[in-house]
Amino acid sequence: MTSMVRPRRAGHRFTAWLVSLIVPVAALLTWWFASLGNTSPFWPSLRSILVSFQQLWLFSRFASDVLPSVGRMLLGYCVAVVIGIALGVLFGRLPLLHRAFDPALQFCRALPATALVPVSIVLLGIGDLPKIVLTAFVTVFPVLLNTIDGVRAVDRELEDAARSYRLTRAQRVLHVQLPAAAPNILAGMRIALTVAFVMMVVTELVAATNGIGFVTLQAQQSFEVSQMWAGMLLLGILGVLFNGAFVLVERRLLRWYTKDRES
Amino acid sequence: MSTQPTPTGLAPAPAGFDAPTPAAAPARRASRPWLLRGLPWLTTLGILVLWELIARAGWLPPEVPSISAIGAALVELAPTAGFVHALMATLEQVAVGLAGGVVAGLVLGVALGTVPLLYRLVHYPLDFLRFVPAVVFLPLMLLLLGATPRVSTLLGMVGALWPMLFQTFYGVSGINDVLRDSARVFGLRAHQRLGHVVLPAVAPFVATGVRLAASHVLVVVVAVEIIASVRGIGADIAVYASNAVYPSMYALVFVVGVLGVLANVGLLAIERRVLGWHISYREEAR
C-alpha cells in the first residue's frame, strides 16, 4: 500500500490529497441537496439527520447511552487483552499445553460469536455483566492465538542470547518474548477490537436497557427514522474513531519495529 | 494507512509441532509420537467428560445441561424437519451472502488495485465504510425490507465485501513490477495479463479473503437471525433460549460452531490443494 504513494514534492502531495477529497465531498453534498426536500419517510434529509444527531447524541444521551456502550466494550476488551496475552505466553512457551488445548481453542475461535448472545442472556441476564463477559470471552481468542504464534516464533538466537546473559524467566518474558511477539499481538488486538465493537452493537440490539444500539433499534421500531439514521451515523463514526486510535497506538508501540524494517 | 505487518495472507506458516523446541525434550517426544498425536483428542475428551461429571454432580447452574443431555437433544433434533429447514435456510443465506460479497469484493479490489486514480478517489469513503460493522445497517434494512432472509443475505454480502476487497487490493497492488513489466514486454493483452499474471499473483490473498469473509458472513447471518427472527438456526437458538429449552439451545450453538469450523478448515484445505504450486504454500509444506 505504501508503495503506491511515492515520496514526491509537497505540492504534488497536496494535489493528491485534494483529489482524494473529491468523491467524499461530492457524495456528502449530493446527499445534502438531493435529500433536502425529501418526503420519503425512509430517507430523511441529511439536515434532519444531523439535527437529530445533535439533539440525541450530543449530550442528552451521552451519559445515559454512549458512555455505557463504550465502557462495556472497552472493559470487556481490556480484560480479554490481559488474559489473552498472559495465556498466550503460557501456551506459547509450553507447546505440549498448546497442543493439548488446540482443538478447544480452534472451536471457540471459529464459533460465530453472535450465536453466544442468547446463551449469555440465559446464563447472566441482560445487564452490563453478561455483555462485558461475553465481549471478553469472544475477543480473547484472536489475542490469545496471535500471542501464541508470536511467542512461538521468537528467534532462537535471541532466546539463547538472553539465556546466556542469565536473564531470569520473568525478564525473558517481559524484555525479550513480549517485545518480539508485539507485532503479532497487536495484530490480534486489532482484530479483537473490531470483534468487540460488533459484540457491543449486537448485544444491545438483542437485549438491553440502554446503549447506542438499543436506542437506534428503538428509533427504528417507533419510526423515528432520522434518529435511527443518527444512531447509525454515530456507530459508524465510533467504529472509525476506535480504529484510528488503535492505529496511532500501534504505530507508537511498534515504531522500533517499523523503523528497523525500513532501514 | 495500515502499516501493520500481518494481514497479508502470507502470514508465516505455523511451525510444525514436531519442530524441536528448547522447552521440551525432543528425543523423548519423538519416541512416543502416538501420545503426541492423541493428546489433542484426549484433552478434548477430558474436557467433555469433566463437564459431564460436574453437571451430574449438580455443581453447574440449572441453565447449563450436561453434555449427554445436549448430545441427546442434538440426536433428537437432527432428523426433524424444523431443524433441517433452519439449517438449510442458514446455509442458503450464508452461501448467497458469501458469493455476492466475494464477487463484488474481487471485482472492486482488482479495479482499485490496477487503477491508482480510482483508489485515490474513493479511499476515504472506503476507509470509513470498512470500519462500520454490517450489523450497524440492520435497523435500516429492517425498515426497508422487513424481517426477511433478504436482510441477512444483504448484510452478509456487506460483511464479506470488505475483507475480500482489501485482500484483493493488497494482492494486486503488491504485484512485482518486474512481473508486470515483463508481461507487457511479451505483448500480453489486458485480459491475458489478468488471467496469467494478476490472478495467479493475488490468488493467496484472495484465498485468505474468502476465509475471512466466510467467518464474517456467518457472524452477521446468525446475528440477523437472532435479532430479527429471520428463519434459520440463529432464530431457533433465540426461541429455545427464551423458552428455556436449554439442551436444544446448546445443541444448536454447537451446530453453528461446527459450521464455523467447517468454513475455516474446509476452505483452508481447498486453499492448500488449489494453491499448492504457490511459493508461500510450498514453503509451508516443506
Side-chain angles (χ1 to χ4, degrees), chain A residues 26-181:
Chain A
L28 282 179
L29 286 178
T30 315
W31 187 6
W32 177 274
F33 286 109
S35 65
L36 205 54
N38 214 338
T39 48
S40 157
F42 298 153
W43 306 96
S45 67
L46 182 55
R47 205 179 110 77
S48 62
I49 293 173
L50 291 179
V51 167
S52 340
F53 186 86
Q54 193 247 335
Q55 283 172 352
L56 197 60
W57 299 116
L58 294 184
F59 310 119
S60 82
R61 289 239 178 217
F62 192 78
S64 64
D65 294 281
V66 179
L67 283 184
S69 283
V70 174
R72 286 190 292 246
M73 175 193 141
L74 289 181
L75 195 58
Y77 176 70
C78 291
V79 170
V81 166
V82 172
I83 295 178
I85 294 179
L87 278 182
V89 171
L90 190 69
F91 280 29
R93 298 316 301 166
L94 302 172
L96 219 57
L97 196 65
H98 176 204
R99 194 181 171 86
F101 287 98
D102 198 42
L105 288 180
Q106 296 296 344
F107 182 81
C108 290
R109 200 252 306 254
L111 178 71
T114 44
L116 291 174
V117 176
V119 179
S120 85
I121 293 170
V122 163
L123 289 178
L124 299 164
I126 62 165
D128 286 346
L129 184 69
K131 296 182 177 61
I132 296 169
V133 170
L134 184 63
T135 307
F137 177 78
V138 167
T139 47
V140 84
F141 294 104
V143 182
L144 174 59
L145 290 166
N146 271 41
T147 308
I148 294 175
D149 281 348
V151 171
R152 284 174 62 93
V154 173
D155 198 348
R156 275 290 293 281
E157 284 170 30
L158 200 63
E159 192 66 22
D160 289 344
R163 233 173 253 268
S164 65
Y165 279 116
R166 297 195 183 279
L167 267 63
T168 61
R169 183 175 285 265
Q171 283 172 325
R172 287 208 305 273
V173 168
L174 273 183
H175 298 294
V176 179
Q177 286 157 12
L178 280 181

Side-chain angles (χ1 to χ4, degrees), chain A residues 1-5 8 15-17 19-24 41-43 93-104 106-107 109-119 122-123 146 149 152 156 159-160 163 183-184 187-188 190 194 197-198 201-202 205-206 213 216-217 220-221 223 225 228-229 231-233 235-240 243 247 250-251 254 257-258 261, chain B residues 1-7 12 14-24 29 35-41 43-44 47 61 63-64 112-113 115-117 119-125 127-133 135-140 142-144 169-170 173-174 215 218-220 222-223 226-227 234 237-238 241-242 246 249-250 253-254 256-261 264:
Chain A
M1 266 240 297
T2 39
S3 65
M4 292 200 54
V5 189
R8 283 187 241 192
T15 335
W17 183 69
V19 172
S20 306
L21 284 182
I22 294 176
V23 170
F42 298 153
W43 306 96
R93 298 316 301 166
L94 302 172
L96 219 57
L97 196 65
H98 176 204
R99 194 181 171 86
F101 287 98
D102 198 42
Q106 296 296 344
F107 182 81
R109 200 252 306 254
L111 178 71
T114 44
L116 291 174
V117 176
V119 179
V122 163
L123 289 178
N146 271 41
D149 281 348
R152 284 174 62 93
R156 275 290 293 281
E159 192 66 22
D160 289 344
R163 233 173 253 268
N184 273 47
R190 189 183 191 151
T194 46
F197 191 66
V198 171
V201 179
V202 173
L205 290 180
V206 175
T216 307
L217 195 64
Q220 183 255 315
Q221 281 161 359
F223 273 90
V225 182
M228 178 198 82
W229 275 95
M232 287 169 43
L233 190 64
L235 286 172
I237 292 172
L238 279 180
V240 175
N243 190 72
V247 170
E250 188 182 38
R251 241 181 239 166
L254 288 185
Y257 177 82
T258 33
R261 278 289 166 95
Chain B
M1 56 148 308
S2 151
T3 46
Q4 93 280 24
T6 33
F17 284 104
D18 315 308
T21 41
R29 283 169 60 194
L35 185 66
L36 206 57
R37 216 171 300 146
L39 187 60
W41 303 105
T43 26
T44 310
I47 294 172
E63 292 87 3
V64 183
L112 292 174
V115 186
L117 179 67
Y119 173 75
R120 176 147 289 158
L121 281 172
V122 296
H123 78 109
Y124 281 137
D127 274 339
F128 182 84
L129 287 173
R130 71 187 288 202
F131 295 118
V132 182
V135 280
V136 167
F137 301 111
L138 182 62
L140 176 66
L142 289 178
L143 192 68
L144 294 176
F169 170 75
Y170 295 144
S173 57
S215 57
L218 209 53
V219 166
V220 173
V222 171
I226 289 173
I227 298 167
I237 292 177
S242 54
Y246 300 129
M249 176 187 79
Y250 284 98
V253 170
F254 175 75
V256 174
V258 169
L259 287 185
V261 172
N264 239 332

Side-chain angles (χ1 to χ4, degrees), chain B residues 4-271:
Chain B
Q4 93 280 24
T6 33
T8 54
L10 296 175
F17 284 104
D18 315 308
T21 41
R28 237 184 59 205
R29 283 169 60 194
S31 67
R32 277 192 241 163
W34 57 268
L35 185 66
L36 206 57
R37 216 171 300 146
L39 187 60
W41 303 105
L42 279 177
T43 26
T44 310
L45 198 67
I47 294 172
L48 295 180
V49 169
L50 195 67
W51 181 340
E52 179 72 29
L53 289 180
I54 294 178
R56 286 270 170 93
W59 291 343
L60 288 180
E63 292 87 3
V64 183
S66 66
I67 285 289
S68 56
I70 297 172
L74 185 61
V75 171
E76 198 178 308
L77 266 180
T80 60
F83 172 78
V84 174
H85 282 162
L87 183 64
M88 285 302 150
T90 299
L91 285 179
E92 189 189 329
Q93 290 159 30
V94 168
V96 178
L98 183 63
V102 161
V103 170
L106 204 58
V107 171
L108 287 174
V110 170
L112 292 174
T114 41
V115 186
L117 179 67
L118 195 61
Y119 173 75
R120 176 147 289 158
L121 281 172
V122 296
H123 78 109
Y124 281 137
L126 287 186
D127 274 339
F128 182 84
L129 287 173
R130 71 187 288 202
F131 295 118
V132 182
V135 280
V136 167
F137 301 111
L138 182 62
L140 176 66
M141 287 290 136
L142 289 178
L143 192 68
L144 294 176
L145 301 172
T148 62
R150 257 197 307 171
V151 173
S152 59
T153 314
L154 271 174
L155 290 184
M157 281 182 201
V158 175
L161 176 67
W162 302 116
M164 205 53 212
L165 194 163
F166 281 94
Q167 282 292 322
T168 314
F169 170 75
Y170 295 144
V172 173
S173 57
I175 290 179
N176 195 331
D177 284 342
V178 177
L179 197 66
R180 199 188 296 255
D181 291 345
S182 28
R184 203 158 290 167
V185 168
F186 281 124
L188 265 65
R189 304 256 175 82
H191 68 271
Q192 288 173 319
R193 285 207 298 270
L194 187 71
H196 296 293
V197 178
V198 176
L199 288 183
V202 302
F205 290 86
V206 169
T208 307
V210 174
R211 213 151 22 88
L212 289 175
S215 57
H216 283 212
V217 176
L218 209 53
V219 166
V220 173
V221 165
V222 171
V224 175
E225 287 174 356
I226 289 173
I227 298 167
S229 317
V230 171
R231 206 161 59 83
I233 303 249
D236 285 1
I237 292 177
V239 168
Y240 287 132
S242 54
N243 292 312
V245 192
Y246 300 129
S248 304
M249 176 187 79
Y250 284 98
L252 290 188
V253 170
F254 175 75
V255 169
V256 174
V258 169
L259 287 185
V261 172
L262 283 181
N264 239 332
V265 176
L267 288 173
L268 199 63
I270 296 174
E271 195 178 317

